[in-house]
Amino acid sequence: MATERHYSPLDRLLLQADTAMRTLLPFSGQPSRPSPAIIQPDVTLDETQTRHVAGLMRINHTGEVCAQALYQGQALTAKLPQVRKAMEHAAEEEIDHLAWCEQRIRQLGSHPSVLNPLFYGMSFGIGALAGLVSDKVSLGFVAATEHQVCKHLDEHLEQIPAEDEKSRAILEQMRIDEEQHAESALDAGGFRFPAPVKFGMSLMAKVMTKSTYRI
């Protein structure tokens, strides 16, 4: 019977470095599912629409970079093996979102945010800190973060031009997945954060969205 491999602290750090590189380097993430945009028709957007949609998708791409870093940081410091596995599994699913957003950004003639390395480092640190506090807090942070992401996706879906079915299909599938991640984290025993904490997280999210929309 196969036995589970146990990694040393150094092994885990090297794996984290590899994940960071695959997250931040262009076209490094390999999705397990095809992009929902593939089956949607191509349309021509005007210059203003194209620039705006590219900005929105850039925000979502950076959000997925942050999600990768958050999950990896939490997995590094999680105390219970099952929680660590849950974090790693969630990170794998988020790779799909990361790749889909990047593909769409490139199709729109734009590029991911140059600030991604900064936000990756910040999110990794926050995730690791949450894991050090407790697994319950770590799971609660996942749920609160994913609920915040869902709100952003809802806002973006309202702004996407009706004819841009490619971008819309990506965001709609992301919305479904993110809601599932949030509920799974709470079902696993995640702490429900109070309103003041959620408000602080919302302010941090606004800093990210404002800065990455253009750069």
Side-chain angles (χ1 to χ4, degrees):
M1 183 176 67
T3 58
E4 182 180 355
R5 181 175 179 181
H6 295 281
Y7 294 100
S8 69
L10 178 59
D11 289 334
R12 291 192 176 280
L13 285 174
L14 291 174
L15 288 171
Q16 297 296 337
D18 178 68
T19 299
M21 294 295 289
R22 288 188 289 109
T23 300
L24 296 172
L25 291 177
F27 298 111
S28 296
Q30 296 299 318
S32 60
R33 296 172 292 175
S35 172
I38 291 178
I39 61 174
Q40 301 301 328
D42 288 310
V43 296
T44 301
L45 304 175
D46 64 36
E47 183 178 349
T48 299
Q49 289 176 322
T50 299
R51 186 166 55 249
H52 181 54
V53 174
L56 296 179
M57 297 306 291
R58 183 159 43 247
I59 290 171
N60 291 310
H61 181 267
T62 298
E64 296 306 318
V65 168
C66 292
Q68 281 292 311
L70 178 67
Y71 285 131
Q72 294 300 331
Q74 290 170 317
L76 184 66
T77 57
K79 297 171 179 60
L80 297 176
Q82 61 267 34
V83 174
R84 180 179 297 113
K85 288 182 179 179
M87 296 298 179
E88 291 172 344
H89 178 67
E92 291 174 358
E93 291 187 340
E94 297 284 358
I95 290 176
D96 289 349
H97 303 169
L98 188 74
W100 299 345
C101 287
E102 182 174 3
Q103 291 168 3
R104 187 58 183 148
I105 290 170
R106 302 292 185 183
Q107 290 171 356
L108 293 166
S110 193
H111 58 81
S113 174
V114 298
L115 299 175
N116 281 345
L118 172 62
F119 284 114
Y120 185 97
M122 292 172 59
S123 299
F124 184 89
I126 292 172
L129 180 60
L132 284 172
V133 174
S134 75
D135 287 335
K136 187 173 183 178
V137 169
S138 185
L139 289 166
F141 196 85
V142 168
T145 299
E146 297 291 24
H147 282 145
Q148 184 66 49
V149 170
C150 286
K151 290 181 181 179
H152 285 158
L153 290 172
D154 288 340
E155 293 172 0
H156 291 180
L157 281 167
E158 292 181 357
Q159 298 179 50
I160 295 290
E163 61 269 29
D164 185 4
E165 297 182 40
K166 285 186 177 294
S167 298
R168 184 172 299 278
I170 292 172
L171 299 189
E172 287 176 344
Q173 185 59 55
M174 287 173 61
R175 177 69 170 77
I176 293 171
D177 294 344
E178 305 294 10
E179 184 66 30
Q180 182 59 53
H181 290 164
E183 294 307 315
S184 296
L186 292 175
D187 291 343
F191 176 72
R192 292 182 181 273
F193 283 11
V197 175
K198 292 181 179 180
F199 179 72
M201 294 174 64
S202 178
L203 290 179
M204 292 178 61
K206 286 182 179 179
V207 172
M208 184 273 284
T209 57
K210 293 292 185 182
S211 59
T212 59
Y213 177 76
R214 298 187 184 281
I215 59 173

